[in-house]
């Protein structure tokens, strides 16, 4: 095995760095799980002589690399995306119960196609002596060396390693139990509103369809409905205070979604409004 001095003699080793988004993910996991900083690792030590814990430049040029293809050949991002000197993996060591739970959540999310940025993961699902994992490029079960029985390894596509990893954080911590964008849109659409102007209870869908018909455009979405309801000169959308408060809460829930999901909510409401207006 190469010595540290030998590895440090190469510029590709000295120039390696951890992308800011991966640094941020590690810091958030440390804070959430209350573990020491040493429990999170990104840049590999002298035992890591191939793979995502090394930069693409190092893998391709170092005389000490053990594989010129692993981690730099199977996706467009791995081949040429991101920064040549960036490492692209994160290890997380946790107490057994937390490790197993995090691995289960990650495995489910990866297999469901929710985390395509992760090319592979290794860890432990059930506390046995076999390392569990998944190759997310080939879509098949995978395994690795026994060290992954006590820590979780995640490899990120090199072209996406500096993306916002809030989605990964939420999966690992279990903070992803919010409803889907479509479910939130449906809740907005079907919410019952006491309407003083109509003298009856109506669904929020009625107001969304009204906005669509009035503006002759896609609906102004929930913000516009709420704004109209609070406008003293408004004569079209009249909401009881309780309904206004409830819809405001739903609006705030939508706003708290990861940014990537918000357009899905808007799109769902648009489609339902258009369909509802066409039926009417």
């Amino acid at each position: 095995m190469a010595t540290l001095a030998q590895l440090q003699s190469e510029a590709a080793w000295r120039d390696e760095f951890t992308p800011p988004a991966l640094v941020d993910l590690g810091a958030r996991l440390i804070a959430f799980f209350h573990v020491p900083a040493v429990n999170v690792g990104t840049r590999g030590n002298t035992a890591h002589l191939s793979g995502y814990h090394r930069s693409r430049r190092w893998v391709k040029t170092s005389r000490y690399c053990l594989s010129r293809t692993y981690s730099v050949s199977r996706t467009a991002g791995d081949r040429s995306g991101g920064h040549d000197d960036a490492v692209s993996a994160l290890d997380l060591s946790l107490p057994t119960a937390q490790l197993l739970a995090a691995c289960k959540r990650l495995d489910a999310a990866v297999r469901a196609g929710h985390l395509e940025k992760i090319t592979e993961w290794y860890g432990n699902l059930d506390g046995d002596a076999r390392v569990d994992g998944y190759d997310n490029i080939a879509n098949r079960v995978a395994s690795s060396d026994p060290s992954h029985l006590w820590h979780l390894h995640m490899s990120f596509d090199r072209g996406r390693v500096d993306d916002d990893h809030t989605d990964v954080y939420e999966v690992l911590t279990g903070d992803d139990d919010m409803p889907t964008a479509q479910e939130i849109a449906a809740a907005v659409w079907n919410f019952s509103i006491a309407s003083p102007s109509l003298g009856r209870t109506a669904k929020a869908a009625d107001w969304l369809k009204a906005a669509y018909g009035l503006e002759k455009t896609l609906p102004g979405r929930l913000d516009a409905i709420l704004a109209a309801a609070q406008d003293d000169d408004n004569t079209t959308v009249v909401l009881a205070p309780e309904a206004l408060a409830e819809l405001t809460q739903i609006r705030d829930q939508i706003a708290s979604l990861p940014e990537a999901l918000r357009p899905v909510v808007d799109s769902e409401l648009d489609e339902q409004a258009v369909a509802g207006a066409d039926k009417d």
Side-chain angles (χ1 to χ4, degrees):
M1 180 181 292
T3 66
L4 179 59
Q6 288 174 320
L7 294 169
Q8 290 176 334
S9 70
E10 295 183 335
W13 176 279
R14 298 194 301 271
D15 292 342
E16 282 184 331
F17 71 94
T18 302
L22 211 55
V23 173
D24 178 69
L25 174 60
R28 294 175 70 185
L29 292 171
I30 289 167
F32 179 88
F33 288 110
H34 303 290
V35 294
V38 295
N39 283 37
V40 169
T42 54
R43 190 182 178 201
N45 58 21
T46 57
H48 294 86
L49 298 181
S50 66
Y52 290 92
H53 282 296
R54 299 263 69 91
S55 72
R56 181 171 51 234
R57 177 184 168 203
W58 189 90
V59 169
K60 289 187 173 183
T61 65
S62 174
R63 74 184 69 181
Y64 304 109
C65 182
L66 300 180
S67 172
R68 296 286 187 209
T69 57
Y70 173 47
S71 83
V72 297
S73 63
R74 292 203 293 164
T75 72
D78 281 352
R79 289 190 293 271
S80 59
H83 197 293
D84 266 356
D85 291 323
V87 300
S88 194
L90 185 143
D91 286 346
L92 174 64
S93 296
L94 295 172
T96 300
Q98 290 181 317
L99 175 66
L100 301 186
C103 287
K104 288 177 182 177
R105 290 191 293 266
L106 180 63
D107 185 55
V110 167
R111 292 185 190 232
H114 297 158
L115 292 175
E116 293 301 291
K117 67 175 77 174
I118 292 182
T119 59
E120 62 185 6
W121 75 268
Y122 301 109
N124 199 334
L125 290 171
D126 46 21
D128 63 9
R130 180 188 183 279
V131 172
D132 300 298
Y134 197 76
D135 180 336
N136 202 28
I137 300 174
N139 293 314
R140 64 189 180 198
V141 172
S143 188
S144 187
D145 68 82
S147 70
H148 298 90
L149 292 172
W150 50 265
H151 83 268
L152 168 64
H153 167 93
M154 294 176 291
S155 297
F156 292 78
D157 186 286
R158 294 184 184 276
R160 300 189 61 186
V161 68
D162 209 21
D163 286 2
D164 177 8
H165 297 313
T166 296
D167 49 358
V168 178
Y169 170 83
E170 290 175 344
V171 167
L172 293 178
T173 60
D175 192 23
D176 62 338
D177 293 331
M178 68 175 66
T180 66
Q182 287 81 1
E183 289 169 340
I184 294 174
V188 174
W189 187 252
N190 294 312
F191 188 78
S192 293
I193 301 170
S195 170
S197 63
L198 297 179
R200 63 181 176 84
T201 298
K203 289 185 177 181
D206 294 336
W207 305 122
L208 290 169
K209 286 187 287 186
Y212 176 79
L214 269 175
E215 299 172 14
K216 305 300 181 184
T217 62
L218 291 178
R221 302 180 173 79
L222 188 55
D223 278 331
I225 301 299
L226 291 171
Q230 297 175 79
D231 184 352
D232 291 337
D233 296 326
N234 160 64
T235 59
T236 304
V237 179
V238 180
L239 304 180
E242 298 81 6
L244 183 62
E246 291 287 350
L247 282 178
T248 300
Q249 290 177 19
I250 296 175
R251 188 272 312 278
D252 292 342
Q253 187 179 26
I254 293 173
S256 72
L257 284 169
E259 187 173 349
L261 286 182
R262 294 175 206 163
V264 183
V265 174
D266 288 341
S267 176
E268 184 75 9
L269 291 175
D270 286 346
E271 290 179 9
Q272 293 184 21
V274 172
D278 288 343
K279 288 179 182 178
D280 295 346

